[in-house]
Amino acid sequence: MPAANSAHATVPRHVAIVMDGNGRWAKRRFMPRFFGHEQGMETLLRVIDVFAARGVQYLTVFAFSSENWKRPDEEVSGLMNLVLIGVAKYLKKLAAEGVRIRIVGDRAGVSDKLRAAWDEAEAGTAANTRIQLSVAFNYGGRWDVVQACQRAVADGLAPAQIDEAALAQRMALAFAPDPDLFIRTGGEMRVSNFLLWQTAYAELYFSNCLWPDFGAAEVDAALAAYAGRDRRFGGVRSAPEGVPQGA
Ligand code: FPP
């Protein structure tokens, strides 16, 4: 493993995750895809605590994309129900563990019942500070850029006032620093319209592990890979030539 690079904090402040592989995980067990999503939620519950224990302050996960409406009706309604089940079953536990929950995404497209569950989760954890969990639901990176532009126009900004800062303040994750580390499980090497704006300088990490199998060992492998990266943000190498820079 390459030596940790002193040019950046070795623990990422913000980790973003595409939790991929639930369907395949279930299929390998001759189970319906929804079973994989259920297990995926259990995995998420476990790893939040691991990331918090390692010092990560913000965790943003992709739970339902703007494009996931194309999935079979049964799977879509299953994922919606999973939010209701998750809030009913785990909200108290997460609140007690110091997790602050926010839902980021297009609220207009979901049911009143779901919006009420989200409101309950956000209100019930608003004072927590140990780790900030953002659940991207009915979210797309392109949607986020478009809605930020629409808000800038609605706020009366002139074209010359619409700069990076003006849009960043209106993006769905405006309260958080940009993700330092982007993790995708399940072996695919795509961003899939996740945080397009915010991951401009994120370190990318792809794991073959299917999301339901992701645990403390996989979290630590991803954090170790991150610690070895040379983050340059468009600048120059911080390590001398010939020193390995990590994956
Ligand atoms: C991608 O795997 C996963 C999703 C589209 C859903 C992710 C949701 C969870 C992990 C549950 C957590 C839910 C909440 C509400 C926090 P896939 O179905 O595309 O897997 P595949 O590539 O193997 O088919």
Side-chain angles (χ1 to χ4, degrees):
M1 193 197 308
N5 168 357
S6 59
H8 68 89
T10 53
V11 177
R13 262 203 304 173
H14 186 172
V15 176
I17 311 183
V18 176
M19 306 178 289
D20 197 14
N22 295 341
R24 279 165 286 164
W25 187 92
K27 199 174 165 199
R28 285 179 193 175
R29 288 159 180 79
F30 307 101
M31 296 295 281
R33 293 176 60 80
F34 179 67
F35 182 63
H37 295 316
E38 270 183 326
Q39 293 302 310
M41 190 165 73
E42 301 289 334
T43 296
L44 175 60
L45 266 298
R46 282 195 307 273
V47 302
I48 292 168
D49 198 50
V50 179
F51 279 110
R54 304 295 184 267
V56 171
Q57 296 164 42
Y58 296 85
L59 185 65
T60 301
V61 295
F62 210 3
F64 190 87
S65 79
S66 314
E67 290 74 36
N68 284 156
W69 296 102
K70 294 178 201 153
R71 295 191 175 207
D73 289 351
E74 194 184 87
E75 187 172 347
V76 169
S77 57
L79 281 163
M80 302 285 157
N81 274 330
L82 206 51
V83 177
L84 302 175
I85 295 167
V87 170
K89 208 170 156 188
Y90 297 113
L91 182 57
K92 270 203 181 115
K93 181 178 182 289
L94 290 171
E97 287 173 357
V99 181
R100 177 168 186 174
I101 302 173
R102 288 189 183 86
I103 312 295
V104 294
D106 185 0
R107 292 189 178 231
V110 303
S111 69
D112 291 347
K113 212 170 163 185
L114 206 57
R115 272 200 298 273
W118 288 347
D119 290 345
E120 186 190 345
E122 291 185 343
T125 61
N128 286 347
T129 55
R130 182 166 168 247
I131 186 165
Q132 313 229 3
L133 172 72
S134 300
V135 180
F137 201 96
N138 200 18
Y139 177 89
R142 290 180 175 178
W143 164 83
D144 201 359
V145 174
V146 169
Q147 69 80 27
C149 293
Q150 288 173 339
R151 287 174 59 192
V153 172
D155 290 344
L157 268 65
Q161 293 173 301
I162 300 182
D163 55 12
E164 288 190 18
L167 290 188
Q169 282 161 25
R170 291 169 174 83
M171 304 292 291
L173 287 178
F175 56 86
D178 282 347
D180 304 293
L181 173 63
F182 171 105
I183 298 174
R184 182 177 185 138
T185 61
E188 308 285 0
M189 292 196 235
R190 289 192 283 273
V191 175
S192 295
N193 197 21
F194 198 23
L195 305 163
L196 297 181
W197 172 281
Q198 298 87 343
T199 53
Y201 285 102
E203 295 297 322
L204 307 183
Y205 179 84
F206 298 99
S207 164
N208 288 327
C209 181
L210 302 178
W211 176 250
D213 291 328
F214 204 76
E218 287 74 22
V219 169
D220 286 336
L223 295 179
Y226 174 81
R229 300 284 176 93
D230 182 27
R231 303 194 75 193
R232 298 202 287 277
F233 299 98
V236 294
R237 283 169 75 94
S238 62
E241 291 300 326
V243 173
Q245 297 296 306

